[in-house]
Amino acid sequence: MDYMAILNLVSKGITIVSALIEAEQDAEPALKAIGALVTGAKTGAVTQEDLDKTEALLDALIADFNTDLPPA
């Protein structure tokens, strides 16, 4: 289990959650992903696949957040 990768993803997730909350958007998917990662780390059950899925989700959330809004 790569603890540094887990910590980096948790840190990234916290940053994304903060941005989403500040923008009054739904942060629940990011919070759930971080929670699952932390729970997995506690039990020693985080795989590379878990890390990849979590990173993909966080990247998708930030990409969606950064998408320009349509003109008013």
Side-chain angles (χ1 to χ4, degrees):
M1 203 166 48
D2 186 349
Y3 289 104
M4 284 306 297
I6 294 168
L7 288 173
N8 287 336
L9 279 177
V10 168
S11 176
K12 180 178 184 174
I14 291 170
T15 300
I16 292 168
V17 166
S18 296
L20 290 170
I21 290 172
E22 189 173 320
E24 298 180 2
Q25 293 187 13
D26 184 19
E28 186 176 358
L31 289 168
K32 284 184 176 182
I34 294 168
L37 204 57
V38 170
T39 299
K42 284 182 181 179
T43 62
V46 176
T47 65
Q48 186 61 46
E49 182 179 354
D50 295 328
L51 294 173
D52 293 343
K53 284 181 181 179
T54 301
E55 186 160 28
L57 172 70
L58 294 174
D59 288 345
L61 289 170
I62 200 65
D64 186 48
F65 177 79
N66 286 330
T67 301
D68 291 335
L69 295 174

